[in-house]
Amino acid sequence: GAVVSQHPSRVICKSGTSVKIECRSLDFQATTMFWYRQFPKQSLMLMATSNEGSKATYEQGVEKDKFLINHASLTLSTLTVTSAHPEDSSFYICSASFGSDRDPYEKLFFGSGTQLSVL
Amino acid sequence: AQRVTQPEKLLSVFKGAPVELKCNYSYSGSPELFWYVQYSRQRLQLLLRHISRESIKGFTADLNKGETSFHLKKPFAQEEDSAMYYCATHRGGDYKLSFGAGTTVTVRA
């Protein structure tokens, strides 16, 4: 199946710094990319949806100035956690889709996730 | 907004025994329902979706509108089935997925 590459897999940073996470679709052009956050032993919570060339749509309660999303091309979306704090420590997962209008779920693939630890 | 509920966080069965993972949804229309699986140290991947009516790796899931359920079943569990399983549904008209809390399945020898 198609591959979504997410980097880095693990990052540790100091409080107050910014961290960028990349999500790439390796062998297809992703019309839409999704960013999720997952706390230990809990479900995936959708943070935002990004479409190439347009502003990301954030879910209620997600600070857009805190979690900057850029989807500059059909194969790359980035999530930047700005001024990170310990409470931002979490597992972040991206997914990429090239589904058709007929079936948006036709091709939806997930990255392997990034474990962010903020000290 | 529709959501799915997975009442069991942990499920432990012996190899060869049947396994059933429960999922209930809340949606008044025609739902799109999925089961995703995450094996240890691997990414989330689609196991099956209700419209395909397929059996994947021996797993089946039937949509029961009367009970608003989409339980995942396998008659004979294997050790390689040990994983985290998520039930998911789309949310309204925007095609975004909403995931259940997940069930960790452990198949013991």
Side-chain angles (χ1 to χ4, degrees), chain B residues 1-77:
Chain B
Q2 63 272 38
R3 60 183 182 274
V4 291
T5 303
Q6 292 180 252
E8 305 138 327
K9 279 192 175 292
L10 301 170
L11 201 57
S12 181
V13 298
F14 283 107
K15 177 181 174 181
V19 61
E20 181 180 44
L21 289 76
K22 292 184 169 51
C23 173
N24 288 91
Y25 65 91
S26 62
Y27 188 44
S28 58
S30 297
E32 280 269 11
L33 289 156
F34 310 80
W35 276 101
Y36 280 84
V37 61
Q38 188 172 29
Y39 300 104
S40 179
R41 293 190 176 86
Q42 294 187 31
R43 67 194 65 208
L44 204 65
Q45 56 186 286
L46 178 65
L47 182 61
L48 52 80
R49 57 192 297 190
H50 87 279
I51 62 170
S52 62
R53 296 179 175 274
E54 292 178 306
S55 173
I56 306 294
K57 299 184 180 182
F59 284 96
T60 58
D62 293 319
L63 179 63
N64 186 322
K65 291 187 177 182
E67 296 181 357
T68 61
S69 69
F70 188 58
H71 303 329
L72 183 69
K73 301 176 185 178
K74 184 168 183 176
F76 308 103

